[in-house]
Amino acid sequence: MMQEIEQLPKAAQQLRRKADTHKGMFGSVAVLGGAGGMTGAALLAARTALLLGAGKVWVGLLDARISVDFQYPELMLCKAEQIFSPLQATHLLAGMGMGTSAQALQILGHCLASELPLLLDADALNLIAAHPQLQQQLRQRPSPTLLTPHPSEAARLLGTSTAAVQQDRPAAAHALAERYQCHIALKGHGTLVMSTDGQLSRNCSGNAALSSAGQGDTLAGIIMSLCAQGLELASAARVGVFLHGQAADHWLSTHPAGLGLSASETIYLARNALNHSLAQTE
Ligand SMILES: NC(=O)C1=CN([C@@H]2O[C@H](COP(=O)(O)OP(=O)(O)OC[C@H]3O[C@@H](n4cnc5c(N)ncnc54)[C@H](O)[C@@H]3O)[C@@H](O)[C@H]2O)[C@@H](O)CC1
Ligand SMILES: Nc1ncnc2c1ncn2[C@@H]1O[C@H](COP(=O)(O)OP(=O)(O)O)[C@@H](O)[C@H]1O
């Protein structure tokens, strides 16, 4: 049976903060990605993780020419390999703008070998689709893993066409969860979240304003930020897809035709939506 996500899932209430806290209680997220020409994808995910409340955020870039994000100097930038020596993060997300080079393959291998909760997107998914040994490593991970494919990435992972995925999205989500033994968020209008316990949910928020580059990177950042702050990974996916869509729905109140929403602006809208929702239910 499919559950509809029509409002912020109750699990979000766990994000409310007590008075006596410190940053160590809200997780340390490491983002792996950003090869030459696509460092923006990794920075978008990292900025989102920070602005949605994660305690600390590292960015391990494959293109190591950039050493600081001047707009968000709170982010800790380093070479991708340095994330693992020593591993200080509590949560990993990988793939945004990572490319499919030998270096990307090696970094993804480190991520899969770690025992941390892991979100894989974009090129991490393309690499998995192309390398059976990574598929085996993925299936054997003892800790929670979420794959967030858009329909074309899902098609590569299933060895089918994008049209076939879109023709029966619940079947595709189910097949991905079965094949890779992971939680799945199959993106696109009405994003489906399929968890390894067999629960299938369809997100009802969001609109065509999200059809622009980088919006998947912000979704990945939202989900891992929520997970780092204590939500179980599948719950973080359900809360995250709703918040991401809600951000775009709020954009329509000032931009009714839904044009021109940048991924960077989605971050602020999602942050507002989350803060207001938690304050309203106090
Ligand atoms: N600022 C940046 O550096 C950015 C870098 N990006 C990176 O660019 C690389 C390539 O990723 P792309 O996703 O662009 O390329 P892909 O070739 O994986 O997928 C793009 C194609 O997928 C199909 N598709 C996507 N959503 C669909 C839907 N809902 N229904 C039907 N078809 C759909 C469309 O044919 C679309 O042209 C990745 O590493 C990605 O992370 C992107 O994240 C965009 C932003
Ligand atoms: N028409 C739409 N309705 C609802 N959500 C959408 C729509 N178009 C795009 N999205 C959402 O925007 C995000 C796009 O992600 P993705 O395709 O990975 O982009 P990118 O790789 O550029 O970051 C997904 O979360 C998707 O569900």
Side-chain angles (χ1 to χ4, degrees):
M1 206 183 66
M2 184 146 67
Q3 176 213 347
E4 305 278 325
I5 309 175
E6 293 172 322
Q7 56 188 14
L8 191 70
K10 286 202 172 62
Q13 300 308 320
Q14 293 169 50
L15 298 165
R16 286 222 201 101
R17 295 194 174 183
K18 299 189 171 65
D20 184 4
T21 60
H22 58 85
K23 65 186 173 191
M25 296 165 73
F26 303 118
S28 298
V29 174
V31 176
L32 282 308
M38 296 187 297
T39 47
L43 288 177
L44 276 170
R47 288 177 176 190
T48 311
L50 176 76
L51 294 179
L52 269 284
K56 290 190 220 173
V57 183
W58 280 277
V59 196
L61 292 172
L62 279 83
D63 179 350
R65 286 174 296 181
I66 300 174
S67 58
V68 66
D69 177 347
F70 284 108
Q71 194 172 341
Y72 286 99
E74 299 88 343
L75 298 176
M76 295 174 281
L77 273 57
C78 62
K79 292 180 185 159
E81 292 77 8
Q82 290 175 323
I83 293 291
F84 300 97
S85 56
L87 184 58
Q88 297 177 71
T90 58
H91 294 74
L92 297 179
L93 65 157
M96 292 69 51
M98 193 161 81
T100 54
S101 65
Q103 185 194 8
L105 191 60
Q106 189 188 29
I107 295 298
L108 181 55
H110 290 320
C111 291
L112 290 169
S114 84
E115 293 188 355
L116 302 181
L118 174 64
L119 183 157
L120 298 176
D121 189 34
D123 289 323
L125 304 176
N126 297 331
L127 281 167
I128 284 166
H131 293 277
Q133 82 275 16
L134 294 180
Q135 298 173 12
Q136 188 63 14
Q137 225 184 326
L138 178 58
R139 279 190 284 266
Q140 288 173 348
R141 289 195 90 236
S143 32
T145 313
L146 170 70
L147 310 186
T148 58
H150 61 50
S152 288
E153 289 156 351
R156 289 176 201 129
L157 286 165
L158 290 172
T160 184
S161 66
T162 306
V165 167
Q166 291 296 73
Q167 202 178 357
D168 191 346
R169 286 169 55 81
H174 200 273
L176 285 165
E178 282 274 309
R179 183 180 295 200
Y180 294 104
Q181 301 288 303
C182 297
H183 304 307
I184 303 295
L186 175 57
K187 296 184 290 193
H189 189 72
T191 291
L192 296 177
V193 178
M194 174 96 211
S195 43
T196 50
D197 62 4
Q199 198 184 325
L200 179 64
S201 314
R202 191 177 74 89
N203 182 40
C204 297
S205 66
N207 60 73
L210 287 173
S211 297
S212 73
Q215 299 291 359
D217 306 325
T218 62
L219 175 67
I222 292 173
I223 293 173
M224 234 23 192
S225 187
L226 302 181
C227 186
Q229 292 171 76
L231 299 198
E232 189 271 322
L233 187 52
S235 292
R238 293 191 170 92
V239 173
V241 296
F242 182 79
L243 266 180
H244 187 247
Q246 199 182 25
D249 292 342
H250 288 173
W251 173 255
L252 294 187
S253 65
T254 47
H255 301 80
L259 276 66
L261 174 62
S262 67
S264 293
E265 287 164 295
T266 302
I267 305 174
Y268 303 125
L269 291 162
R271 178 175 67 176
N272 282 345
L274 179 58
N275 274 287
H276 285 288
S277 297
L278 294 182
Q280 270 166 18
T281 49
E282 258 174 323

